[in-house]
Amino acid sequence: MKEQIIKLLAEKLPSLTEAEISELIEIPPNPEMGDFAFPCFRLAKTLRKAPPMIAQELHDAITVPDFVEELRVVGAYLNFFIKKDVFADTLLSAVKAEDFGASGEGKGHTICIDYSSPNVAKNFHVGHLRTTIIGNSLYKIYSKLGYHVERINHLGDWGTQFGKLIVAYKKWGSEESVKEKGIEELMRLYVLFHQEADKDPALEDEARHWFAEMERGNEEALHIWQWFVEISLEEFKRTYRLLGMDFDHYMGESFYRDKTEDVVNRLSSAGLLTESEGAKIVDLEAYDMAPCLILKNDGSSIYATRDLAAIFYRKENYHFDKCLYVTGQEQRLHFQQVFKVVELLGNEWAKDGLVHIPYGLVSLGGEKLSSRDGNVIYAEDILLEAISKIRDIIEQKNPDLEDKDTVARYIGVGAVIFNDLYNQRIKDVSFRWEHLLNFDGETGPYVQYTYARCSSILRKVDDYDPAAPVDIRFLTDEASLGLLKELSRFPAVVKEAANRYEPSVVARFSIAVAQAFNHYYTVNRINVEDPAERNARVSLVDITRRVLRDAMDLLGITCVEQM
């Protein structure tokens, strides 16, 4: 219908293309103002007339098509009122499609997403939840659009911090303690190193020495390092299982350590490498950036070197169209430098093909978290606490619910995920239990409850036939049309979320659908006596349930049938 309206307007407005008209058309906030509105402000300068006069002239010039109930001038707008039965039938036909929301626009294209990437020998803390949750949602969104997605966990498993850990382990640790306590003991040693190094700076030199030994292939250093990596990865995977997600590749920085020499050779051959105080850098002053450090003065590589090696490896092996990096906004400059170096090597694809996707900080009740100071809240603890609190609520409200542990897990974990994704990713996120687990607010449990309500309705109707024709007369009331309009936005929502790298678009859509459905459920009886009306009402419940499930899946959340 929108396309037909665009063509109608294009016939009368030769100065605008159909694409321009499409961008101008709005959906009025109030149904009483129509279903589509065309603003005439932009035409005032070209036509040398007041916008309300232009709207009136358009009104008089257009032959009202069959599907339009009324054309009405409202100030500077020309508003289109679509016949309710036509509108309802068109929307219903669209949303009933099995692949609704999906598209093939990404077919033949590959996207790499680098996300999660926790540091080995440090527990997976709540700060890592953001990159993990955002990255997983983007993977699902792009897959929905037909892209082939490579999920990459670029573990922080190489660097000077391992020199620090080796020093701390040899001075204050033991094999027995590490075996018994695992990553908790490694974290204790890491924090202790920094406390002692503040009193004795020579410890930093020892740490640099041990990392240099790792790079040279020292057998003892690599044995300790590999042991720490295995302990850490086991714990990380336990958290991923709790979140219900996985990766295609666990390839940490160490994977690229034998590929950094090629990076240095490329930069040297291109005349980009210069020396500065014994270190090797790429000077980026011409681009208003600090230099990109490639090799430290002891000849060891740095994470920028390994990031460059990773980019070239991924391009050559996965042939990506885009490589997305989901990390904190504090790493913005780092990626600007690395991407610019790739571009300076003559790779034009770097301009659009390498994308940093930043996000805000995470806090618990507003308090910033730092692993260096030992002020750490573990991600697993947050998730288990959410599950426990939901389990308590279930015991209070529905103690006879079957499989309470599974339901509590899906709702609790889903609540944490939804809390993160509901606001724009660049904003800071705070974990506040009173909001996060609320069943009445704009939260994950609210959407979960709406989905479960839809499932409950469907279980109670014995004769519902999804394939039966729908008598559209019963879906032309304001609440039904309002719900259909919200549901019909799903394909556009998925595309917008992908274009903006913004899962919050999907999260907010799911809330809008849930609210529209609960209004529909409040004002309309569903399980009525008349078979035709009942089938129409239930069909809308069925479609709502499916779209909510698909939207929540794009966020990485599993819906529950009962709660």
Side-chain angles (χ1 to χ4, degrees):
M1 287 179 289
K2 182 180 177 181
E3 290 176 1
Q4 291 183 62
I5 290 170
I6 290 169
K7 292 185 183 300
L8 277 174
L9 291 168
E11 290 175 4
K12 309 300 178 183
L13 300 170
S15 61
L16 294 178
T17 65
E18 289 190 8
E20 289 171 327
I21 293 171
S22 178
E23 289 181 7
L24 289 171
I25 288 179
E26 301 173 9
I27 305 295
N30 188 332
E32 294 178 2
M33 299 171 66
D35 299 300
F36 297 98
F38 179 71
C40 298
F41 303 102
R42 180 172 167 179
L43 296 165
K45 188 174 181 180
T46 308
L47 300 178
R48 300 180 181 276
K49 295 177 182 177
M53 184 181 294
I54 298 170
Q56 186 61 53
E57 290 180 355
L58 272 175
H59 173 278
D60 297 340
I62 289 175
T63 302
V64 180
D66 290 341
F67 66 89
V68 174
E69 184 77 44
E70 179 189 358
L71 270 181
R72 186 188 303 170
V73 175
V74 181
Y77 289 82
L78 179 60
N79 290 7
F80 293 76
F81 292 76
I82 309 300
K83 289 180 180 177
K84 290 183 178 181
D85 57 341
V86 176
F87 205 4
D89 191 42
T90 304
L91 293 174
L92 188 68
S93 298
V95 299
K96 283 182 75 173
E98 279 300 319
D99 60 349
F100 185 61
S103 86
E105 70 176 53
K107 187 177 181 180
H109 298 282
T110 295
I111 290 180
C112 291
I113 309 183
D114 180 322
Y115 63 106
S116 195
S117 310
N119 291 318
V120 162
K122 296 180 185 177
N123 206 306
F124 195 107
H125 65 70
V126 72
H128 287 117
L129 274 176
R130 292 223 72 191
T131 168
T132 307
I133 289 169
I134 294 169
N136 184 64
S137 181
L138 290 174
Y139 148 67
K140 287 175 170 287
I141 288 166
Y142 280 106
S143 297
K144 187 82 169 176
L145 296 175
Y147 289 89
H148 171 73
V149 183
E150 297 284 350
R151 300 169 292 174
I152 303 171
N153 197 332
H154 188 74
L155 297 167
D157 66 352
W158 201 251
T160 309
Q161 70 267 31
F162 292 98
K164 296 176 181 180
L165 265 171
I166 290 172
V167 171
Y169 171 69
K170 292 175 75 69
K171 286 183 179 293
W172 309 297
S174 69
E175 184 176 352
E176 293 74 19
S177 293
V178 174
K179 282 184 175 179
E180 179 187 349
K181 300 176 183 176
I183 210 163
E184 180 185 342
E185 174 66 3
L186 298 183
M187 281 294 296
R188 184 189 74 82
L189 292 172
Y190 183 76
V191 172
L192 181 59
F193 175 89
H194 285 285
Q195 292 172 344
E196 295 298 321
D198 287 340
K199 296 179 278 187
D200 181 9
L203 287 171
E204 296 283 359
D205 292 329
E206 282 191 58
R208 282 189 283 271
H209 163 76
W210 274 105
F211 176 57
E213 286 298 301
M214 285 171 59
E215 294 232 300
R216 295 187 190 102
N218 179 289
E219 189 173 327
E220 180 188 10
L222 290 178
H223 174 75
I224 296 172
W225 163 78
Q226 185 62 47
W227 182 33
F228 291 170
V229 170
E230 290 169 1
I231 290 171
S232 302
L233 195 52
E234 184 179 333
E235 299 227 9
F236 296 158
K237 287 186 175 181
R238 190 172 66 240
T239 301
Y240 295 137
R241 285 193 295 272
L242 200 54
L243 286 165
M245 58 184 68
D246 202 357
F247 296 83
D248 299 304
H249 311 282
Y250 288 88
M251 294 163 64
E253 293 184 68
S254 64
F255 178 81
Y256 304 99
R257 69 182 190 269
D258 63 349
K259 299 169 179 60
T260 55
E261 186 178 349
D262 176 62
V263 171
V264 174
N265 291 337
R266 291 189 194 211
L267 294 170
S268 183
S269 299
L272 293 172
L273 212 55
T274 58
E275 189 170 315
S276 175
E277 300 179 7
K280 298 288 187 181
I281 65 166
V282 175
D283 187 351
L284 298 175
E285 185 178 1
Y287 307 97
D288 296 321
M289 281 186 269
C292 184
L293 179 61
I294 302 298
L295 292 175
K296 293 185 280 189
N297 53 20
D298 63 1
S300 60
S301 64
I302 191 170
Y303 53 89
T305 330
R306 297 186 286 276
D307 273 343
L308 287 165
I311 288 171
F312 296 131
Y313 177 87
R314 293 167 186 174
K315 188 66 175 175
E316 291 162 9
N317 286 273
Y318 307 134
H319 312 290
F320 63 76
D321 296 276
K322 281 190 178 184
C323 188
L324 313 181
Y325 291 80
V326 185
T327 73
Q329 57 184 329
E330 68 276 4
Q331 294 192 43
R332 190 187 298 269
L333 175 60
H334 165 72
F335 284 107
Q336 285 177 340
Q337 292 172 314
V338 169
F339 296 169
K340 177 56 71 172
V341 170
V342 176
E343 185 185 333
L344 291 174
L345 282 168
N347 301 295
E348 284 297 309
W349 48 263
K351 291 180 180 179
D352 298 317
L354 299 174
V355 183
H356 177 223
I357 300 173
Y359 55 82
L361 297 172
V362 179
S363 64
L364 189 66
E367 186 178 0
K368 186 180 176 182
L369 307 166
S370 166
S371 60
R372 177 180 178 134
D373 299 326
N375 175 27
V376 179
I377 304 296
Y378 294 159
E380 186 177 31
D381 290 343
I382 285 281
L383 295 169
L384 292 176
E385 181 73 7
I387 294 169
S388 175
K389 287 179 180 292
I390 290 293
R391 185 70 161 73
D392 291 342
I393 293 172
I394 291 173
E395 285 293 349
Q396 294 169 18
K397 296 189 174 183
N398 191 5
D400 298 326
L401 180 69
E402 293 182 9
D403 204 2
K404 286 181 275 194
D405 290 337
T406 300
V407 172
R409 177 193 161 192
Y410 286 142
I411 297 175
V413 171
V416 172
I417 293 173
F418 198 93
N419 181 71
D420 189 296
L421 296 180
Y422 183 68
N423 291 308
Q424 292 181 3
R425 58 179 161 75
I426 204 64
K427 293 184 177 180
D428 295 346
V429 164
S430 178
F431 286 93
R432 299 183 187 276
W433 295 117
E434 64 274 15
H435 169 74
L436 188 142
L437 302 178
N438 193 332
F439 282 74
D440 297 319
E442 296 174 351
T443 65
Y446 172 71
V447 181
Q448 289 268 30
Y449 182 74
T450 304
Y451 175 88
R453 171 175 277 176
C454 291
S455 296
S456 175
I457 293 169
L458 290 168
R459 285 194 299 272
K460 292 175 182 176
V461 180
D462 297 329
D463 61 346
Y464 169 59
D465 180 5
V470 173
D471 190 332
I472 211 68
R473 293 175 302 157
F474 298 110
L475 298 180
T476 57
D477 60 284
E478 182 185 329
S480 300
L481 274 173
L483 177 55
L484 279 167
K485 286 179 182 179
E486 286 296 343
L487 292 168
S488 70
R489 294 194 302 116
F490 190 40
V493 162
V494 179
K495 289 183 181 181
E496 183 184 352
N499 292 339
R500 292 173 50 196
Y501 313 111
E502 189 59 83
S504 68
V505 176
V506 179
R508 289 178 176 269
F509 165 78
S510 69
I511 288 290
V513 169
Q515 290 173 336
F517 173 80
N518 285 312
H519 175 61
Y520 165 75
Y521 179 77
T522 301
V523 301
N524 286 302
R525 285 186 59 216
I526 309 298
N527 197 1
V528 295
E529 291 183 7
D530 182 83
E533 182 178 359
R534 183 171 62 248
N535 186 72
R537 296 280 178 219
V538 176
S539 69
L540 192 46
V541 174
D542 189 20
I543 293 164
T544 301
R545 176 181 175 276
R546 180 158 50 82
V547 173
L548 279 179
R549 180 199 64 206
D550 292 350
M552 292 290 269
D553 180 68
L554 293 182
L555 301 176
I557 299 171
T558 301
C559 288
V560 297
E561 299 301 317
Q562 298 182 67
M563 56 189 288

